[in-house]
Amino acid sequence: MTQGRPLVVTVDDQAVTHLVDFCREQGRTRLFMIADQNTYAAQGRAVEAALTAAGFDLKQIVFTNDEVIADGEHVFAVMRALDTVERTFVAVGSGTITDITRFVSHRTRSVFISVPTAPSVDGFTSTGAPMIIAGVKKTVYAHAPIAIFADIGTLTAAPQAMIAAGFGDMLGKYTSIADWRLGQLLWDEPYDEVIARRTLTAVQLCADNVQGVGHATPDAIRILFDALVESGYCMLDFGQSRPASGAEHHMSHFWEMKLLHEGRPAILHGAKVGVATVVVAGQYDSVRALSRAQAADLLEASVLPDRAAELAVIDVAYGSEAGEVSRDQGRFLDLTPAAHDQLKRRILDHWDEIQAIAAQVPPAKEVARLLQTAGGPATVGEIGLSAEEQALAFANGHYLRDRFTVRKLARVLGID
Ligand SMILES: [Zn+2]
């Protein structure tokens, strides 16, 4: 399955030339560029100059406000700047600019080309656009770019915080893949071993080149960018984000929603994911420390969570979102005593396999060291969150998705 993949992806020092050649070959001479002040300076100006010099008909919008958000206001600003001519969109930027473009180009029945300015997320090839709708983050259906032209010089010159965020988003794959394997083993979730291995190969390559990532060397940044694109392909090929998103992303989403509700400034996605990966890797450390006999004792003592109590917890943690969150948790909330017993038996029967899955996750200390070496944050304090907020996300993040993760395993084992 390759549906939705870009026709071409390049990462070298010829991005602008590739862009012009591609547009000419495809007969896409009417274009609309979306950028913000920073990305315009980093790459947009060169794109504008090249497209104009090629004789193309170019219109554009460059956001001048401080915090560009993928919300209605920004979408409306783009729509207002459009004319009635059919145009190919060009997104010059990282996550947010790309998501605004992804959404608008899809809804105007057009297509878009991505010119990334930082290796900060694995979502460039995504078909979903995370948008802020009435203050709530929702992923809406859109499409992947038809081409990606990344300039290696621009990517290496990106702020180190954004490079480290891309690295953090990749490190999260250690725990997301382990969670996915638990989901297959214990919860019958659809799984694809080839995609799991592809994802792990990509994250391992990043970890092996962490020194270079920390120093933003062109070779290491290219490896990081390729890994982010590969992770995006793994999601596209599997048809959902499961390979790239586990308990660490649930914690990150929890924080993101909390910050949004409280009107606090956003934190880079990959920075939150990286910090959460340290915490979730810590949970895998705890699982690894349990012998089969200890697990048997814990499971013997484990009782089925009380449905009403669970709903009350979700209510406190999610407020106005609680209804939707509980609906998604149906399979867990409606667990019968018989099904709970069966799950406990299944955990014990597969204890060796669970240990093998946990062994694939690096220790929390090692995850933290890797993040620090990449020049990124490794603790909640470094991203402006409190220890209490860490505990809240750890306790409640798993309610956000109906997926089995190490957090669900820990709940059944009673090792919270
Ligand atoms: Zn991510």
Side-chain angles (χ1 to χ4, degrees), residues 121-122 169 173 244-245 249 269-270 273:
V121 279
D122 66 356
D169 203 16
K173 312 313 170 206
S245 166
H249 271 73
H269 168 75
V273 170

Side-chain angles (χ1 to χ4, degrees), residues 85-286:
V85 174
E86 200 179 314
R87 292 175 186 277
T88 298
F89 287 78
V90 180
V92 179
S94 55
T96 308
I97 292 285
T98 310
D99 288 327
I100 294 169
T101 313
R102 191 190 309 284
F103 177 74
V104 176
S105 61
H106 181 262
R107 292 303 192 273
T108 54
R109 294 186 171 78
S110 189
V111 295
F112 83 104
I113 297 166
S114 159
V115 181
T117 51
S120 54
V121 279
D122 66 356
F124 287 109
T125 55
S126 174
T127 53
M131 309 288 294
I132 306 297
I133 302 162
V136 178
K137 181 169 166 144
K138 304 239 158 142
T139 298
V140 297
Y141 185 74
H143 54 194
I146 58 166
I148 301 178
F149 301 112
D151 180 72
I152 191 70
T154 305
L155 297 186
T156 53
Q160 190 61 31
M162 297 193 84
I163 294 170
F167 184 79
D169 203 16
M170 280 313 297
L171 273 196
K173 312 313 170 206
Y174 279 128
T175 48
S176 68
I177 294 295
D179 283 350
W180 192 21
R181 287 176 165 168
L182 290 180
Q184 183 218 15
L185 187 65
L186 305 170
W187 204 242
D188 298 315
E189 288 185 44
Y191 175 78
D192 188 316
E193 176 65 17
V194 173
I195 289 177
R197 284 193 193 175
R198 275 170 54 197
T199 306
L200 282 180
T201 302
V203 57
Q204 194 56 47
L205 211 53
C206 293
D208 292 344
N209 287 276
V210 63
Q211 293 287 350
V213 172
H215 292 106
T217 65
D219 285 349
I221 295 303
R222 191 189 310 263
I223 286 166
L224 173 59
F225 187 77
D226 285 344
L228 291 165
V229 169
E230 172 68 354
S231 173
Y233 282 165
C234 287
M235 286 189 269
L236 270 182
D237 292 350
F238 187 64
Q240 43 161 294
S241 64
R242 189 50 159 132
S245 166
E248 74 299 321
H249 271 73
H250 303 164
M251 287 183 70
S252 167
H253 296 331
F254 182 90
W255 285 328
E256 184 165 353
M257 286 169 65
K258 190 168 193 290
L259 293 171
L260 204 64
H261 274 290
E262 295 170 8
R264 288 153 70 186
I267 300 168
L268 285 172
H269 168 75
K272 296 194 294 287
V273 170
V275 167
T277 303
V278 178
V279 181
V280 176
Q283 181 100 81
Y284 274 103
D285 287 343
S286 314

Side-chain angles (χ1 to χ4, degrees), residues 7-55:
L7 299 168
V8 49
V9 178
T10 62
V11 48
D12 56 24
D13 57 1
Q14 300 291 319
V16 174
T17 309
H18 295 318
L19 172 66
V20 171
D21 291 349
F22 178 83
C23 290
R24 193 173 280 127
E25 280 159 25
Q26 297 269 321
R28 299 188 172 280
T29 58
R30 297 193 170 96
L31 302 139
F32 188 93
M33 181 178 85
I34 303 181
D36 65 26
Q37 281 172 308
N38 297 329
T39 65
Y40 181 77
Q43 184 80 83
R45 188 175 288 120
V47 166
E48 177 188 25
L51 294 175
T52 308

Side-chain angles (χ1 to χ4, degrees), residues 313-335:
V313 168
I314 292 174
D315 215 43
V316 171
Y318 290 96
S320 59
E321 298 293 297
E324 204 165 318
V325 170
S326 348
R327 256 195 309 283
D328 285 348
Q329 287 296 303
R331 233 185 119 197
F332 292 100
L333 289 171
D334 299 339
L335 212 57

